[in-house]
Amino acid sequence: MRIGKLAAATAVLGATALVLSGCSAPEADSGLDEGSSVNVAWNQAFYAYNGNTSFGNATANQNIISLTNSAFGYYNNTPEWVKDESFGTYELVSEDPQVVEYTLADTATWSDGQPVDTADLLLNWASQSNAFNDPNFDPSAFQDPESGEITEDFPEGQVYFDGGGTGLDLVTQTPEVSDDGKSITLTYDSPFVDWELVFGSAGQILPAHVVASYALGIEDPEEGKAAVEDAILNNDTEALAAISNAWNTIFNFNEMPEDPALVLSTGPYVITDLVADQYVTLSANENYEGDKQPSIDEITIRFIADPLAAVTALENGEVDIISPQATTDVVEGLEGIDGIEIITGLEGTYEHVDLQFQNSRNPGVFEDIRVRQAFLKTIPRQEIVDTLIKPIIGEDAIVRNSQIFVPGAEGYDESVENNGSSEYAEVDIEGAKALLAEAGVTNPEVCILYANNNPRRVNEFALIQASANQAGFNVTDCGSAEWGGLLGTPGAYDASLFGWQSTGLGVTEARANYVPGGLNNLNYYDNPEVTAALDELNGTFEADRQIELQQEVDRLLWEDAYGVTIFQFPAVTGVSERIENVDPSIIAPTIFWNAWEWELAE
Amino acid sequence: MATFVIRRLVASFFVFLAATYLMYILTALSGDPLEDLRASTAPNAAQLIERRIDLLNLDVPPYLRYFIWLGGVGGCFIGQCNLGFNVQGQPVLEILGQALGQTLQLVTFAAIVAVVIGVIIGITTALRQYSTYDYSVTFVTFLFFSLPIFWVAVLLKQYIAIGFNDFLRQPTIPPLAIVVIALALGLIAAGIAGGDLKRRLIAGGTAAVVTGAALAYMSATEWFLTPSLGIVVVALTAIGLAFAVTAISAGLRNRRALYASLTVAVLAIVLYYPLQFLFVSMTLPLFLGLAIGTILLSGAIGYFWGGHDRWQSARTAAIVGFLTAGVIALDEFMSYWNAYSNSSRVRGRPIATIGAETPNLGGNFWVQGVDSFTHLLLPTIALILISIASYTRYTRSSMLEVLNQDYIRTARAKGLTERTVLVRHAFRNAMIPVATIIAFDIGAIVGGAVITERVFAWTGMGALFQNGLERTDPNPVMAFFLVTGTLAIIFNLIADLVYAALDPRIRIS
């Protein structure tokens, strides 16, 4: 073929193309979703919808669950306990024996339309009370490593609920259930003053009829509930084994399950999409009739591990609310962004120094209270806050002055005035020297345990060391990356510097720290007066008296030179101007506590 | 050969075994896996600690706990893999699968593009050795090579994502910027063109004028809001590709190959409108099917045009067909850009800085494609920028070495065209060492995107490794190590075998 022919062919084809171009190309439907979402960044991915199990017990899950599952109450950002009467009411019928009656409201319904009833509460009790568990049974031998599920050779008839430890374990007697299926009565074996948190912040109520359909193969919800209720009331081991297995495993998913029954909700939102390690989408629950009516139709929580990546994502409009780990880098990044609000505040963890009352590395160094007082007087608490925390959250950075109360909670201010913490408000080198001289000790060595892989704690240690050495102490470095495992080890250190994480306001939580043999009593502290006050607290239901006793304990601890609290961890939240009413709480679920009150700005 | 492979595998196996032991101990001794629970005042902390100790066998010292882990891995050989659990209690095997998927999605495309661009730059710098172009390219690639990736990522996010998205609000380019960009591209073109001053001026001038005109047009028509190529640009590109590909692949003197390419190009232009009707209901299998079909059909056209070397024509036509089809697909993707960008989920800020997709976007095949593009763009650029330097240098030095060989001089002396000498005699041999380097890199790249993944919020192998280290959690770290270590061993072996297969001078025994 010669080039001429080719040119001709090209011309013909080109002309055809031009003619065809007269026809309009078909308009395709882009298929784009019309909805819009408020996007929130969180640093860890959601991976389980049952937050009661040791598997699902994590903030990343609890945040989501706090929006999808209602309970008899929740914490607001004061922080204080708020009853949710649109879910149900409760009443302390008698203190001794302690009897509590719970009554569900008519507005408490599952998102599939089923009412929440006593079968659900009974299941919650059964799973949290350990009443049916065999204490000698070790479940991990029967878990399938591929799926995490219980394997087939799991002994049949073995009841094992992977929950508990939340207070319901004090109710071993099977609860009484009303005939209308709306009330349940718990009788405690021994008094439990944090009883309000049971069926509240501690323990999420899961749908009994869904568990029944998986465990017992009963599709009808009414029958399913009845079967679960029967199994629990009659201690039917065979059925309970199946129920416990289902309860442990069916809610463990990090991708959207095929069965929508697994994401049933009783709260303002319901999970509508979940992509592993990327995001979870919550949509307003249409069947929700309670008080927490949501204003925003859809909230998507995206998982961003890197704090600075979250900041740029906020700047780029991909997320509207971020609350990454607070550092000066994050704050500086946020300050450079237009159109956002920066909310600074505090977080539940608090930094503190504890002194070893026994089993210290340098034997007996802190036996004399004057040495303890002298050492604590040298700790530059204000300086630590000024140099390490102020740059992050500015004027919100405060020295925490109470061993017991969370700043802002009822009783904190009053306790701070009277607990004697003011003795340690300023560094007092001269006073410390005088106390040491009085005690007749020269140059005592104090070895401090802290996380030496954590830059902030390394700085704190350096500040404490410099200050204490001026008063004649010889502060040495017991820092370790494995500080957690070393805590409480006899002879390992003389003082420890770390953070306690408060998860709630339960008055019984402090007990483990201060009574001899308590789980968190890592410095072998033993003061009969404190123990007595805590014992009384354990049987005191009246709120005012509880606070009095807590203040008493607080005062005694400072008087004994137990240690010092330093600061509350800083929190920074960046919120796009298009969202209003975001007001983080100091305790979990921090930014999410009032998500139903968030509004789009007009 | 078989002895060589077996000997290598056995040796690698024992080295790897020792390495896993070391890795396990180092990770397990680096901290305290119970740290988060120890600092908790929750009432059930004691119970949680006990369960975690049970689940992860923390009561067994690491020196022995390793063998529990090893036993689980050994199960893989009989189909019962057990990589243990992470601190959260999730089975590692399951999260490993998800992580591997994410990482492959992230690195595959970046790896291919980096190789292609790296080789092209390497070849061109070798051909223009010691020119301004050579020096500038060397400088730039090394600059990027030495930048830490987290910093590159921050720059990319600031300028390409946030900056470009801000620009889209008012997508007009200031005249000064147009002039600067046009001149810059002109200089680059002049550098590549090489030769005498006239040749360089023509190349540079043309490039500058075309770029300037294109940018001015884009600015005036707000092209960035509703980008499209249209039939005219598609047609010009198709014809241009036909000539360019033929020039390199077969030489313009091979008229049959040229006609074959032009036939394919013209066919593509003619099919441009009919294809729109097919595009409406596009799915991934159909898309891949069309791509393969295009290659086969174009190849067939080339084959039947024939010539003294049918397969050469077929190859040329197939490449032209594939590239032209790509341009048409690009045009179609572009037509959805505006709808995507203005959707309620994207809100006018299309270039993303985090994640793999826009949540709940919906959308058809094309919209999904655009969404993947906007999310992959930044991490891909970041990965390419840092990995391109090595490919460039290896290709350049290998090409230079080959060009100085005697047989190249012989080939030139025989009167072969420059194209034949470069493409057939030099390029193929220069690629032998590069091929082995690519094989190495494929093994390394799966584990090499740790930081990139984190800054762009992808939860792949890097996240698995990093989260494991942060929480003193040996099982996920070991899963990462198993995969990357095995890949390293296998691809090192493959690299050696490939070398032997490509270069007859090398014998494996």
Side-chain angles (χ1 to χ4, degrees), chain A residues 36 53 58 77-78 91 100 102 162 180 182 192 226 255 259 315 347 356 374 382 387 406 450 457 555 563 586:
Chain A
S36 71
T53 60
N77 66 340
T78 304
E91 189 192 354
V100 188
Y102 291 85
D162 180 18
D180 65 355
K182 286 288 174 196
F192 180 61
E255 287 175 292
D259 183 358
E315 184 173 6
E347 183 183 280
Q356 295 307 100
Q382 189 65 48
T387 50
V406 177
Y450 64 99
R457 296 218 168 108
R555 188 179 60 76
I586 188 168

Side-chain angles (χ1 to χ4, degrees), chain A residues 13 28-31 33-35 44 55 145 160 162-163 165 273 277-278 281 298 316-318 484-485 500-501 578, chain B residues 32 38-39 41 47 51 82 88-89 91 102 165 266 336 344-345 347 349 351-354 360-361 363-364 455 459:
Chain A
L13 286 171
D29 175 22
S30 65
D33 191 275
E34 303 281 317
Q44 197 198 353
F55 175 76
Y160 176 71
D162 180 18
D273 198 8
D277 294 324
Q278 292 201 38
T281 298
E298 193 185 289
N316 197 26
E318 286 164 271
W500 279 125
Q501 203 183 334
R578 79 184 187 109
Chain B
D32 178 13
R38 285 197 216 271
T41 56
Q47 202 162 356
R51 298 246 167 94
N82 178 0
Q88 289 180 347
Q102 286 260 310
N165 288 338
V266 170
Y336 286 93
S344 56
R345 304 264 175 203
R347 294 184 300 153
R349 300 189 68 85
I351 306 293
T353 63
I354 48 154
N360 309 297
L361 179 71
N364 60 17
V455 286
T459 317

Side-chain angles (χ1 to χ4, degrees), chain B residues 68 79 94 107 173 185 264 297 309 311 340 419 453 506:
Chain B
I68 299 179
E94 191 184 307
V107 299
I173 312 171
L185 278 171
V264 170
L297 179 70
D309 185 347
W311 285 110
Y340 169 77
R419 189 203 70 80
E453 277 178 17
I506 308 280

Side-chain angles (χ1 to χ4, degrees), chain A residues 457-474:
Chain A
R457 296 218 168 108
V458 173
N459 286 330
E460 287 172 53
F461 171 76
L463 289 170
I464 294 172
Q465 188 181 37
S467 173
N469 284 358
Q470 283 177 32
F473 282 96
N474 173 23

